[in-house]
């Protein structure tokens, strides 16, 4: 007798087959977004939408929407295998139709959920998903994408403009609630950032979210660009336009938590599907949100495929991963009794650690030249270390320690800065423990923390002079750069998502002048390799004098790899003029003044001074050679040699 054969059902390309289910169950179906969700297909000569959703503990699932009168009895879905994916094909469904999944729980209750894999959503306050087809987006950014594969963030300039689209600039006539569309924003932001000299924009709040006040950090539609600013095609146009103008795009990404909104991921099929079941692991009491279950392969797959979706399908150049610390520590933001230790008795979330290693290995391995950036606020080791060496595998880490010390120092009355001098030099001691990006982000200019200009002591001129020397010091410090919108022209008010930036301030000279100063710093940064190509190596930085405590002056050198164009920084953090100031230098060369904060165009006194200074054999700062420079109060001077 012949052997019996196992007959496998042959699946069509759009169907959820056994291999799809297996890979999803292993957490390695990296393009699962092409199968789950709502996709346009033709079946038996009829065009329609193939719906698929993961609801493992549901009793029954149906699709409801505009096309069936929201009647849950019209289009029940079929369960595929043990993993709990439900599918159905509905002919005649049109692009733009609204839909949800009606899920009957194990207890017989009917709940209505938006599609976790939807590519477009109804504009809030609506909560339905919207049928769309994003399989034919138009891209003309081939040159950028080709160059990206060879790009190395460690050796390249990276100056980021952090932007909240809805409040950067608004229509005066209030059209579309005053929001710029993705297309309008693309054209305006390109003009601005190219003129200013930024290399990248980082966009807050892009994934669909129901509440404006969450700034996009409580997501209900992980696979949908928010409909506040237009369609998915409009969103793709924006990224394409920025790329064609040689501006990179980083998106904020939130794998740490999600809101409890009834239409979202919370208790998706009546049970904890996406979140940990135990509330001591599955809830953030501080934020009132749910925590993803990083131990479930399917949840890992949902998130990793989502990261790839933004980078591969929408051409994003990197993701800034929000709230990494809250994922790494089981007791983050929790009191005793609100959390449970791991199997080793510690407070580390071992499943989240494994998730990060998997995530970063896959995303960066498949997409050379892209970035995964950790917003991580603790001393967790090797955040940017290689996973095979025990690291988490991120490209860059936000330097929150530097940010805290820097802003606290700058808030001080100059009379007391001598007592906190070490706060400004301490960051160099750990500057090479990770690959850092220096950040002055939206978090620092909200919740009564004050805008950057209003952190500065004094009044009027003193505030602006303080902020100029602060920005010069930041630009010279090792690490990539990020500044939140509005702070480049010294916005006075704290940021609010409810209004546009105070652009009217640019009618006033002091705001024009500090914007010009920051712009010139950015262009100096971009054209001088000394400021970026050795960011991750001690050879790129050298203190001249970090111990001038009484005078609150710092001097240091940034070295280029070939030593051809090095930069000497001198920063005076008091209003006291040092007309007899002398600085030690590494060698007997000519030193060319390339940026002086005291120029009239920057709001300074504009006193004439030589451009070139010749070092002489005169000991200073422990150096054989030095030169004299009349250093103004709050003066920042940068010399090239």
């Amino acid at each position: 007798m012949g052997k019996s054969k196992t007959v496998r059902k042959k699946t069509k390309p759009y169907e959820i087959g056994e291999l799809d289910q297996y890979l999803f169950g292993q957490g390695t179906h990296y393009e699962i977004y092409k199968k789950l969700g709502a996709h346009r297909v033709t079946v038996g000569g009829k065009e329609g939408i193939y719906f698929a959703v993961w609801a493992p503990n549901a009793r029954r699932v149906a699709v409801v929407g505009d096309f069936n009168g929201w009647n849950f009895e019209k289009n029940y879905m079929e369960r595929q295998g043990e993993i709990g994916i439900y599918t159905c094909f509905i002919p005649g469904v049109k692009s733009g139709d609204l839909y949800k999944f009606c899920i009957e729980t194990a207890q017989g209750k009917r709940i209505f959920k938006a599609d976790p894999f939807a590519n477009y959503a109804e504009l809030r306050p609506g909560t339905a998903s919207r049928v769309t087809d994003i399989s034919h987006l138009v891209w003309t950014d081939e040159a950028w994408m080709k160059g990206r594969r060879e790009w190395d963030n460690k050796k390249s300039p990276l100056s980021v403009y952090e932007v909240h689209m809805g409040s950067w600039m608004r229509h005066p006539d209030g059209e579309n609630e005053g929001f710029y569309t993705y297309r309008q924003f693309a054209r305006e932001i390109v003009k601005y950032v190219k003129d200013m000299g930024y290399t990248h924009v980082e966009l807050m709040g892009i994934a669909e979210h129901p509440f404006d006040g969450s700034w996009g950090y409580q997501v209900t539609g992980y696979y949908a660009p928010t409909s506040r600013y237009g369609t998915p095609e409009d969103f793709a146009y924006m990224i394409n336009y920025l790329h064609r103008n040689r501006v990179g795009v980083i998106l904020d990404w939130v794998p740490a938590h999600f809101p409890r909104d009834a239409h979202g991921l919370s208790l998706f099929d009546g049970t904890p599907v996406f979140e940990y079941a135990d509330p001591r692991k599955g809830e953030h009491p501080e934020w009132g949100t749910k925590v993803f279950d990083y131990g479930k392969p399917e949840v890992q797959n949902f998130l990793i495929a989502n990261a790839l979706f933004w980078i591969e399908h929408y051409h994003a150049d990197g993701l800034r991963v929000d709230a990494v610390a809250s994922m790494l520590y089981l007791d983050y933001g929790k009191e005793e009794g609100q959390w449970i230790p791991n199997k080793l008795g510690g407070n580390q979330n071992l499943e989240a650690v494994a998730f990060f290693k998997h995530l970063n290995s896959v995303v960066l391995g498949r997409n050379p030249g892209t970035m995964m950036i950790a917003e991580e606020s603790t001393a967790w080791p090797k955040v940017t270390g290689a996973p095979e060496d025990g690291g988490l595998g991120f490209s860059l880490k936000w330097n929150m320690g530097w940010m805290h010390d820097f802003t606290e120092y700058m808030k001080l009355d100059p009379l007391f800065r001598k007592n906190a001098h070490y706060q400004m030099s301490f960051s160099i001691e750990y500057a090479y423990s990770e690959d850092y990006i220096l950040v002055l982000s939206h978090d620092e200019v909200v919740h009564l923390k004050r805008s950057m200009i209003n952190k500065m002591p004094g009044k009027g001129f003193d505030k602006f002079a303080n902020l100029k020397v602060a920005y010069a010091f930041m630009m010279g410090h090792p690490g990539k750069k990020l500044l939140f919108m509005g702070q480049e022209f010294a916005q006075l008010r704290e940021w609010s998502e409810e209004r546009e930036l105070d652009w009217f301030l640019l009618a006033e000279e002091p705001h024009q002048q500090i914007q010009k100063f920051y712009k010139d710093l950015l262009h100096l940064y971009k054209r001088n390799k000394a400021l970026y190509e050795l960011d991750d190596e001690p050879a790129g930085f050298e203190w001249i004098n970090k111990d001038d405590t009484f005078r609150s002056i710092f001097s240091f050198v940034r070295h280029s790899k070939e030593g051809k164009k090095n930069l000497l920084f001198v920063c005076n953090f008091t209003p006291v003029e040092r007309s007899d100031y002398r600085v030690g230098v590494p060698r007997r060369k000519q030193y060319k003044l390339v940026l002086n904060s005291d120029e009239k165009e920057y709001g300074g006194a504009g006193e004439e001074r030589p451009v070139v200074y010749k070092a002489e054999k005169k000991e200073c700062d422990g150096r054989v050679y030095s030169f004299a420079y009349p250093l103004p109060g709050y003066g920042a001077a940068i010399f090239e040699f």
Side-chain angles (χ1 to χ4, degrees), residues 7-63:
V7 178
R8 288 180 180 268
K9 180 187 173 186
K10 190 174 181 182
T11 57
K12 295 181 173 61
Y14 58 83
E15 292 179 326
I16 305 290
E18 290 180 17
L19 181 60
D20 295 307
Q21 295 175 56
Y22 172 77
L23 292 174
F24 186 52
Q26 296 297 306
T28 56
H29 198 319
Y30 299 130
E31 296 181 358
I32 188 65
Y33 57 84
K34 293 182 178 178
K35 291 297 186 82
L36 292 177
H39 301 282
R40 183 161 300 286
V41 299
T42 301
V43 177
K46 293 182 178 179
E47 192 177 272
I49 300 296
Y50 186 79
F51 293 93
V53 64
W54 179 53
N57 303 306
R59 182 185 290 178
R60 286 195 299 182
V61 183
V63 185

Side-chain angles (χ1 to χ4, degrees), residues 8 12 39 88 130 182 227 310 330 342 360 368 384 390 397 415 422 440 443 451 485 551 561 603:
R8 288 180 180 268
K12 295 181 173 61
H39 301 282
C88 75
R130 192 179 289 278
Y182 290 117
S227 55
W310 294 112
L330 295 165
N342 62 35
N360 292 324
T384 56
K397 172 180 171 172
L415 182 65
Y422 185 55
L440 295 172
D443 281 326
S451 64
M485 64 181 196
R551 297 190 297 180
K561 201 168 188 176

